[in-house]
Amino acid sequence: MELRPFSMKIKDNLLIILLFIKQTTIKTKFIICFLSILLIIHSLALATEYYVSPSGSDYNFGSVNSPLKTINKGISKLKAGDILYVRTGTYNEQLSVYGVNGTAEKPIVIKAYPGESPIIDGTGVRIGYGSALVVIHSNYIHFNGFEIRNSNINGIVNQGGGGLIVVGTNCLISKCKIHDCWEAGIGIAGDYSIVEYCEVFNTAMNNENGKADFWGTGISARRSPDYAIIRYNTVHDIWGEGISTYEATHTTIENNIIYDIYSVALYVSDATDCLVQRNLIYTTKDMADGAQVGIGHWEETSVPKNANNTFINNIVYGCHRNFYGGCFVGTLIANNTFVNSVYFACVQLSGEGYPSGTFANNIIVQENDLQAIYFEGDKDVVFNNNFYNRSYDADAVGAGDIIGNPQLAKTGNTGAGKLTADYFKLLSTSPAINKGRSISTITDDFFGNQRDATPDIGAHEYTIINQEIPVTGISVSGAGGITTITTYNGTLQLNAVISPSNATNKTVTWSISNGTGAATISSTGVVKAVSDGTVTARATATDG
């Protein structure tokens, strides 16, 4: 075989290798090899990283050392699989992601540069009617790590000034902080989109102190999206709804913390087949004349649309009615913990004309003179195995109900941003343990503990794993039973044996008290002699 010299050409960022082969018997094999190399190089060339920095210029190439100045310019360069990194700084521009779609395999990523915190600030930026500071029209866009603030905050445009709107499908919004917006914080209109790990506050500011007739939401899946997911977000101090879904189907709202909301903290309206689970909702202050409902479930249209919605393993505390709603066609409200409403009733239900709902395995605690539960409507709504701390509405009585003290832990701070779900855990002596009805669709609790065949009532399933087992004794000994150091500057490893063996926290801290001699001791229990004599070594359990 005779080989001729090869040449290399660069064209459209693709490395093309030309190798001339005289002997035809292996030509086919070579062509296959050549095509494989070309495809690999082409694949690598598809994805490009671009960079934006306040110190850049939109005449630059957009590389890390030659960044662009505006985010919009960076967006204009993107194609499927590309990444746009945005450096720390304040960007006064309204972003529009339009006509630059990603794919399922190659989404377009627009994100904060690792370890940095870019801000998109709407000060001086005119936001149009019904628009937002960031609008994503495209599909498969991942938008990550931005602070978005001051969208139409002075209300120059009526009904304009949201933080971020997603119109495209299959988008992911994560780790963003959105605040001080005239209208909603985040709106989802595109199918299969996700909002997660975001913080949203001070939105719907057009209604601050209850001055408006309409308002926005912290985060909302609205106007016909299918299969939206809102999870692991913190939403607070909203002058409208906190998290909502309306005129939507198959929305999942889970693992969110929502507090101090003017209207309804978590609102499901005119929606079907939605799942609401493992949310912590509470109120710490009055917000003008707001309804301040915990979970709301009703309709705002003349034609009933709410159906087949599920509310499980939620914890709601201190709201103006912790659950308020009706329209229970196929709706399940189960294994929730509702504690201490400050208006009318802890739970208020209206089932008139909308039968076939289920209200089961819920804890309802109302420790003042307000009603534990108020129910009006069809008896076709099924009540069973609910736990009340006091007498309750006879129309809500069901088989397996319990009246008594559910014995909640009630430990920790109940202030804004401080309350945790641990406050509502069952104690080991709770009469709610093993008194629930088994529901096949509820397999775990608020904390992820598995429900057993005889589940507990409420959002918490008590297990031995949840029980803090304290240390009752510690035995200290030297390695090999030795208690004497006989060499100059010698060392001895001490060991601590904890009782009981299944104590929750077995860690100890070591200390030394010098007597006639002197020594030091390490954090791992190694004693080092300093001078002759005796010393006392002590191991103290870190649980006290």
Side-chain angles (χ1 to χ4, degrees):
M1 181 179 68
E2 178 183 346
L3 299 183
R4 296 182 182 179
F6 69 90
S7 63
M8 298 175 63
K9 297 182 180 180
I10 302 296
K11 183 178 181 181
D12 296 330
N13 295 321
L14 298 180
L15 179 61
I16 301 178
I17 303 173
L18 302 177
L19 182 58
F20 299 94
I21 300 178
K22 184 177 181 181
Q23 190 167 336
T24 58
T25 55
I26 65 167
K27 185 176 181 180
T28 303
K29 292 183 179 179
F30 170 74
I31 292 173
I32 294 173
C33 182
F34 170 79
L35 290 175
S36 298
I37 294 172
L38 181 60
L39 287 172
I40 292 171
I41 295 171
H42 180 67
S43 177
L44 292 174
L46 281 176
T48 305
E49 293 180 356
Y50 295 97
Y51 297 82
V52 175
S53 170
S55 62
S57 168
D58 282 350
Y59 294 101
N60 287 343
F61 292 109
S63 65
V64 66
N65 295 318
S66 181
L68 302 164
K69 186 175 182 62
T70 65
I71 302 173
N72 277 315
K73 184 64 175 179
I75 291 170
S76 71
K77 291 179 172 291
L78 299 175
K79 59 183 178 298
D82 287 351
I83 301 175
L84 179 63
Y85 287 109
V86 182
R87 308 300 298 263
T88 288
T90 300
Y91 299 85
N92 289 108
E93 52 181 314
Q94 182 182 20
L95 303 189
S96 178
V97 184
Y98 184 79
V100 287
N101 295 297
T103 66
E105 296 78 18
K106 297 179 181 179
I108 289 174
V109 179
I110 304 169
K111 66 185 299 185
Y113 186 83
E116 298 192 11
S117 304
I119 299 169
I120 302 170
D121 192 301
T123 302
V125 178
R126 187 175 180 85
I127 307 299
Y129 178 89
S131 190
L133 195 54
V134 178
V135 182
I136 299 175
H137 297 274
S138 301
N139 305 325
Y140 293 101
I141 305 297
H142 293 186
F143 191 84
N144 178 294
F146 292 89
E147 180 178 350
I148 301 172
R149 69 187 189 190
N150 298 329
S151 180
N152 190 33
I153 196 61
N154 295 318
I156 296 173
V157 176
N158 187 35
Q159 295 191 43
L164 184 151
I165 295 175
V166 179
V167 181
T169 65
N170 298 280
C171 294
L172 172 64
I173 312 301
S174 63
K175 298 180 181 178
C176 290
K177 179 184 290 187
I178 300 178
H179 62 97
D180 292 285
C181 300
W182 193 246
E183 290 291 338
I186 302 175
I188 307 171
D191 296 345
Y192 297 97
S193 290
I194 299 172
V195 177
E196 63 181 13
Y197 300 103
C198 293
E199 181 182 8
V200 181
F201 60 97
N202 289 352
T203 69
M205 296 303 288
N206 68 313
N207 188 47
E208 186 176 11
N209 295 316
K211 64 189 178 186
D213 294 328
F214 61 89
W215 49 74
T217 307
I219 305 174
S220 182
R222 62 200 191 195
R223 308 294 188 198
S224 73
D226 293 340
Y227 296 96
I229 299 175
I230 303 172
R231 64 189 180 196
Y232 296 106
N233 302 286
T234 299
V235 178
H236 61 95
D237 295 282
I238 308 295
W239 289 96
E241 279 81 41
I243 295 178
S244 71
T245 184
Y246 61 93
E247 298 178 15
T249 64
H250 298 95
T251 304
T252 298
I253 303 174
E254 62 185 4
N255 300 100
N256 301 285
I257 298 173
I258 314 168
Y259 63 92
D260 292 339
I261 307 299
Y262 173 82
S263 181
V264 184
L266 197 159
Y267 185 29
V268 178
S269 170
D270 304 281
T272 62
D273 300 286
C274 298
L275 174 62
V276 176
Q277 63 177 347
R278 298 191 298 270
N279 299 283
L280 174 62
I281 301 166
Y282 62 101
T283 295
T284 69
K285 62 184 180 183
D286 286 330
M287 299 181 71
D289 60 347
Q292 294 191 261
V293 169
I295 296 177
H297 182 247
W298 57 80
E299 294 167 344
E300 296 188 5
T301 60
S302 58
V303 178
K305 293 182 180 179
N306 272 345
N308 304 322
N309 297 316
T310 299
F311 302 83
I312 58 174
N313 293 326
N314 299 286
I315 297 173
V316 191
Y317 171 73
C319 299
H320 296 198
R321 290 166 293 197
N322 291 313
F323 191 104
Y324 183 24
C327 314
F328 296 125
V329 176
T331 292
L332 173 65
I333 307 167
N335 284 103
N336 303 285
T337 298
F338 303 116
V339 178
N340 287 344
S341 169
V342 297
Y343 177 80
F344 189 67
C346 191
V347 173
Q348 182 175 352
L349 306 175
S350 173
E352 191 66 44
Y354 309 111
S356 74
T358 299
F359 188 87
N361 294 354
N362 300 290
I363 289 177
I364 301 96
V365 173
Q366 189 62 41
E367 295 175 318
N368 56 23
D369 293 335
L370 300 179
Q371 298 181 73
I373 185 169
Y374 175 82
F375 174 70
E376 58 180 356
D378 289 313
K379 289 297 292 180
D380 288 339
V381 175
V382 177
F383 293 88
N384 57 62
N385 296 84
N386 296 296
F387 197 120
Y388 301 88
N389 72 310
R390 50 180 291 185
S391 59
Y392 57 103
D393 191 333
D395 288 336
V397 171
D401 287 354
I402 299 174
I403 298 178
N405 180 359
Q407 298 185 33
L408 305 179
K410 293 187 177 181
T411 57
N413 193 323
T414 59
K418 304 293 185 181
L419 181 66
T420 70
D422 288 346
Y423 187 90
F424 305 93
K425 283 184 173 180
L426 300 176
L427 298 177
S428 60
T429 53
S430 172
I433 294 174
N434 297 332
K435 296 299 175 61
R437 163 193 164 194
S438 182
I439 299 174
S440 61
T441 55
I442 306 177
T443 58
D444 57 10
D445 74 347
F446 183 99
F447 303 93
N449 302 314
Q450 185 175 356
R451 298 275 184 184
D452 55 32
T454 53
D456 302 344
I457 299 175
H460 174 218
E461 182 80 5
Y462 181 88
T463 67
I464 193 67
I465 295 174
N466 305 128
Q467 184 180 10
E468 293 288 333
I469 302 175
V471 174
T472 59
I474 305 175
S475 175
V476 176
S477 62
I482 298 171
T483 59
T484 304
I485 299 173
T486 59
T487 59
Y488 178 74
N489 282 342
T491 61
L492 175 63
Q493 175 68 63
L494 298 183
N495 300 312
V497 178
I498 303 298
S499 298
S501 60
N502 63 339
T504 302
N505 187 350
K506 296 182 181 181
T507 59
V508 299
T509 56
W510 291 95
S511 60
I512 202 100
S513 298
N514 291 326
T516 59
T520 61
I521 192 166
S522 72
S523 61
T524 58
V526 177
V527 177
K528 183 176 182 180
V530 175
S531 62
D532 290 345
T534 61
V535 298
T536 302
R538 176 177 287 107
T540 303
T542 56
D543 73 354

